[in-house]
Amino acid sequence: MSKIIHAIYNDDDILMNAVKEVRKQHYHIEEVYTPFPVHGLDKVMGLPYTRIAICSFIYGLVGLSVAITMMNFIMIEDWPQDIGGKPSFSYIENMPAFVPIMFEMTVFFAAHLMVITFYMRSKLWPFKKAENPDVRTTDDHFLMAVDTGKSEVKDVTDFLATTGAVEINIMDNEDAH
């Protein structure tokens, strides 16, 4: 059974170098916990690019479509009104007045659906128990969780000690989260 090793660092530059070294040795990094965003860490870890921008664009198009459909139905088909002498015969004639509504609905749908998508993708549900393995990572320490896989635990811990880790803890795979 593989073990998870928690290597704790006290500097983000040391952490970045350690991640590079661990990846060179082909050990599997389960997760890295940091008290603040570390620029470039995702690239060093080899994480794939996010597709959330594509989702945002699609959600914006959905919001724009809802806005156009809503305004056409409400202001042209269902209850046409003469507001300030403006004609209400077609959507195109009134479109300049509808631009703010189209913009706001596009932003509204993109923003709200992006938040929902982020929470679903990150598995952050209401009342979910925190998965932070060490509370010091919310203050001033950095933790890299490395799966030993088929490697010997001693070999991995000895290697992590050379990367500048100030503390190394060995956890069972089910206890690590």
Side-chain angles (χ1 to χ4, degrees), residues 132-144:
N132 191 354
D134 193 325
V135 295
R136 293 176 291 176
T137 61
T138 62
D139 187 23
D140 61 350
H141 282 74
F142 304 84
L143 186 141
M144 177 171 39

Side-chain angles (χ1 to χ4, degrees), residues 24-172:
K24 279 184 196 171
Q25 294 296 322
H26 302 290
Y27 293 126
H28 177 66
I29 300 173
E30 286 286 323
E31 187 65 78
V32 176
Y33 299 90
T34 63
F36 53 83
V38 178
H39 180 71
L41 183 61
D42 54 341
K43 289 181 181 148
V44 173
M45 287 180 64
L47 297 176
Y49 287 107
T50 180
R51 295 181 302 268
I52 204 155
I54 297 168
C55 292
S56 178
F57 180 73
I58 292 169
Y59 297 155
L61 289 178
V62 169
L64 181 64
S65 301
V66 167
I68 290 171
T69 304
M70 176 189 73
M71 290 180 300
N72 185 53
F73 178 74
I74 292 171
M75 297 299 290
I76 306 302
E77 294 176 18
D78 186 44
W79 196 271
Q81 297 179 23
D82 184 6
I83 300 172
K86 293 181 181 178
S88 57
F89 304 120
S90 71
Y91 181 81
I92 297 299
E93 291 175 321
N94 287 304
M95 196 165 80
F98 294 158
V99 169
I101 299 168
M102 291 187 299
F103 172 77
E104 292 297 332
M105 289 292 282
T106 301
V107 172
F108 179 85
F109 269 71
H112 285 79
L113 292 175
M114 285 288 295
V115 168
I116 293 169
T117 301
F118 174 76
Y119 284 147
M120 289 174 60
R121 181 72 178 98
S122 301
K123 297 180 179 123
L124 293 173
W125 312 113
F127 311 109
K128 183 175 190 264
K129 186 178 180 277
E131 294 181 5
N132 191 354
D134 193 325
V135 295
R136 293 176 291 176
T137 61
T138 62
D139 187 23
D140 61 350
H141 282 74
F142 304 84
L143 186 141
M144 177 171 39
V146 180
D147 188 359
T148 59
K150 296 180 182 181
S151 304
E152 287 293 322
V153 174
K154 179 153 176 34
D155 294 339
V156 180
T157 55
D158 290 345
F159 171 73
L160 288 172
T162 66
T163 64
V166 295
E167 184 180 324
I168 297 174
N169 300 316
I170 302 168
M171 312 292 263
D172 285 330

